[in-house]
Amino acid sequence: MAMERGSKSRILVIGATGTLGRELVRASLAAGHPTFALVREPAFSDPQKSLLLRSFAADGVTLLKGSLQDFPSLLEAVKQVDVVICAVPSKQTLDQKLLIRAIKEAGCIKRFVPSEFGADPNKVQILGMDHGHYKEKIEIRRCIENEGIPYTYISCNFLMRYLLPSLVQPGLNTPPRDEIKIFGDGNVKAVSLMDVDVATFTICTIDDPRTLNMVLYLRPPGNVYSMNELVEMWEMKSGKILEKVYIPEEQLLRIIHETPFPGNRDFIFIYSAFIKGDHTYFSIDSSGLDGSKLYPHVKYTTVSEYLDSLL
């Protein structure tokens, strides 16, 4: 299915009703791409999802029925587009294998963006602790590369809606009022981005030859902070000093070890980001491309701006 010269790629979003998925659909539309969404049958009868799907259709999205478990529907959907972006939850990571088969068979896809949207699985230092979270993402990368499918991997580290609303306090939904736990020495920097900004950066890569078969790292300067810096920023904004309780690495590892999965999941990712430094310990230039340098026009919400919204 050849594209006309100068025309925008047709994009299929899988997982379009999810929090990130819907932002990918909107960013694709905003950039002028013909946009398709693969939607499971039950979503059409779900009150909230059907409302979202109606708004998509009104905006010009082509809705296709199908699922990652249904090969004929995948093949039919993939044949109608140039690019596939998958944004399913991590528990469905390995479900992308059938999609990879469909992409291979269709033979028309010029780029696949698999469902990663986190820390780079090839860079994390917690393999074996994370109950297969990153191992499965590595397995999908291997499948894509073995099949010779053109790809772009998006490494955005944390989404702001995860951990930041509580200032990295597992079990809380809002910032603490009196006392705050700081993991490790509090000086290791992690990265957080808004879903909408991750989606915008992702769509920028679609027709950009520079990002083909590359990892795009999203590490904008205004989104890289240590726990000490987060707390200091929050104290300045809220005008309230918090009592700091430092949780050393050994104590955090003990909590991880003694808390059954998935109850320890947040602690595992905190250990990865704020103690091991899995978001920031390596230089981007040696591993891939820096999204904020590649697309300096993208206006993103900084951590400071996000914290203002919590006040």
Side-chain angles (χ1 to χ4, degrees), residues 7-310:
S7 68
K8 297 256 187 179
S9 292
R10 286 160 298 198
I11 297 177
L12 172 67
V13 178
I14 297 173
T17 59
T19 311
L20 177 59
R22 66 189 67 188
E23 297 298 350
L24 286 161
V25 169
R26 288 168 184 148
S28 175
L29 287 169
H33 291 276
T35 305
F36 298 71
L38 187 76
V39 183
R40 289 178 301 172
E41 186 75 54
F44 290 94
S45 48
D46 176 290
Q48 281 184 310
K49 287 181 180 173
S50 64
L51 205 62
L52 179 67
L53 294 173
R54 280 205 294 276
S55 78
F56 282 169
D59 290 337
V61 178
T62 304
L63 302 177
L64 306 172
K65 282 186 186 173
S67 82
L68 286 177
Q69 284 76 35
D70 176 7
F71 185 76
S73 73
L74 286 177
L75 187 58
E76 191 182 328
V78 165
K79 282 180 173 175
Q80 298 180 54
V81 298
D82 311 294
V83 170
V84 177
I85 303 176
C86 195
V88 295
S90 57
K91 62 177 183 286
Q92 287 181 264
T93 295
L94 294 182
D95 291 352
Q96 295 176 101
K97 286 187 173 182
L98 208 55
L99 174 60
I100 290 167
R101 208 182 104 201
I103 288 171
K104 181 72 174 174
E105 190 168 317
C108 60
I109 295 304
K110 55 176 207 158
R111 192 177 307 231
F112 176 40
V113 181
S115 195
E116 285 205 2
F117 303 107
D120 183 342
N122 282 340
K123 296 288 184 190
V124 295
Q125 305 164 89
I126 59 160
L127 288 176
M129 283 180 70
D130 59 338
H131 297 263
H133 180 87
Y134 291 114
K135 184 166 159 275
E136 291 178 356
K137 291 179 189 286
I138 291 168
E139 193 176 330
I140 290 300
R141 281 191 178 189
R142 203 168 294 127
C143 291
I144 292 165
E145 291 159 23
N146 287 347
E147 294 292 0
I149 292 167
Y151 63 84
T152 299
Y153 303 139
I154 306 292
S155 176
C156 63
N157 301 299
F158 283 155
L159 294 164
M160 279 187 185
R161 61 184 153 93
Y162 178 64
L163 294 178
L164 209 53
S166 68
L167 294 186
V168 198
Q169 304 300 293
L172 294 185
N173 299 318
T174 54
R177 294 171 179 272
D178 306 306
E179 168 186 296
I180 189 158
K181 294 183 177 69
I182 294 177
F183 298 95
D185 63 10
N187 293 324
V188 178
K189 293 178 191 282
V191 184
S192 299
L193 279 95
M194 291 280 277
D195 291 72
V196 62
D197 299 330
V198 172
T200 303
F201 278 114
T202 301
I203 298 301
C204 286
T205 69
I206 295 307
D207 288 325
D208 185 348
R210 297 173 296 177
T211 57
L212 197 59
N213 299 332
M214 298 291 280
V215 183
L216 186 83
Y217 291 97
L218 300 181
R219 204 194 281 180
N223 297 59
V224 185
Y225 286 97
S226 68
M227 281 203 73
N228 285 335
E229 289 169 331
L230 282 175
V231 173
E232 187 183 350
M233 199 191 310
W234 178 252
E235 288 178 333
M236 282 181 65
K237 288 174 183 296
S238 64
K240 193 168 196 304
I241 302 299
L242 296 167
E243 186 188 336
K244 288 132 198 106
V245 178
Y246 283 84
I247 309 289
E249 179 174 351
E250 308 73 52
Q251 191 181 341
L252 179 56
L253 285 170
R254 200 159 56 244
I255 292 168
I256 290 169
H257 182 67
E258 291 171 0
T259 311
F261 187 81
N264 60 1
R265 190 183 167 96
D266 289 350
F267 294 104
I268 292 168
F269 289 126
I270 287 169
Y271 177 70
S272 165
F274 288 103
I275 289 185
K276 299 301 283 183
D278 283 342
H279 297 178
T280 52
Y281 77 87
F282 58 94
S283 84
I284 290 176
D285 295 341
S286 63
S287 311
L289 298 165
D290 184 333
S292 39
K293 286 182 183 162
L294 219 51
Y295 309 114
H297 65 281
V298 174
K299 297 275 182 281
Y300 54 87
T301 299
T302 64
V303 166
S304 176
E305 288 163 342
Y306 182 81
L307 292 184
D308 287 339
S309 75
L310 300 180

